[in-house]
Amino acid sequence: MNLLIINGPNLNLLGQREPKIYGKETLQDILDDVFLYSKNHNINVEAFQSNHEGEIVDMIQKSNDLYQGLIINPGALSHYSISIRDAISSISIPVVEVHLSNVFTREKFRNHSVISDVCSKMVVGFGSNGYKLAVGYFIS
Ligand code: DQA
């Protein structure tokens, strides 16, 4: 099984960005851990990060033919990007939404995600472990 993890805007700054909220691990630290965990379960995981909405839409579209599942943390785009929502609706592979922080206990504008109802599952507030929990959804 091949999975893709997409991370959106500002997640390239993990480790230095608001560490009290998002933790001290860099995105690469988190991904290395996920890659190892997935390998131990015979799952191949690849990762893509972009600060640009259109690039994320392109990658979601491409993922349908290349992967059996998609794990996505669209960052702030989760709260307003209808183009990311539409891209997710357009593909047939299962998509799991991940947020490191608990977006429901933060500012009001973070309480709503425009992609949740077109995703198969949502993992919220488990910090970097959220990505491994999302991979767990694909482990049969
Ligand atoms: C986030 C939550 C979003 O509200 C925020 O804009 C992010 C990160 C999270 O992983 O907790 O960039 O998606």
Side-chain angles (χ1 to χ4, degrees):
M1 175 178 274
N2 293 303
L3 301 179
L4 177 66
I5 298 180
I6 295 180
N7 278 288
N10 300 306
L11 291 161
N12 56 314
L13 296 181
L14 287 176
Q16 43 171 304
R17 173 193 180 199
E18 300 182 88
K20 285 207 173 94
I21 297 173
Y22 299 115
K24 289 187 185 144
E25 289 169 281
T26 66
L27 182 57
Q28 197 55 55
D29 292 337
I30 294 169
L31 291 173
D32 285 346
D33 196 30
V34 176
F35 293 153
L36 189 64
Y37 174 80
S38 308
K39 205 174 157 203
N40 289 337
H41 289 90
N42 290 320
I43 294 176
N44 176 54
V45 175
E46 289 168 24
F48 173 77
Q49 189 278 329
S50 177
N51 293 325
H52 305 280
E53 186 174 7
E55 285 184 3
I56 295 172
V57 169
D58 287 344
M59 197 50 103
I60 294 169
Q61 290 181 5
K62 280 185 206 149
S63 70
N64 200 45
D65 294 329
L66 301 173
Y67 303 94
Q68 286 72 54
L70 176 62
I71 294 167
I72 186 164
N73 181 350
L77 292 168
S78 320
H79 310 301
Y80 66 89
S81 174
I82 305 302
S83 54
I84 287 184
R85 178 196 165 89
D86 286 348
I88 292 171
S89 296
S90 306
I91 61 173
S92 51
I93 57 172
V95 180
V96 179
E97 177 180 5
V98 172
H99 296 285
L100 294 138
S101 64
N102 185 349
V103 287
F104 298 111
T105 58
R106 298 182 61 195
E107 302 96 322
K108 211 168 177 17
F109 64 86
R110 294 185 207 276
N111 296 170
H112 182 67
S113 160
V114 297
I115 69 163
S116 297
D117 64 312
V118 293
C119 290
S120 299
K121 298 282 171 196
M122 186 186 201
V123 183
V124 169
F126 283 91
S128 58
N129 281 326
Y131 294 96
K132 283 189 280 189
L133 292 170
V135 170
Y137 172 70
F138 296 96
I139 298 172
S140 47

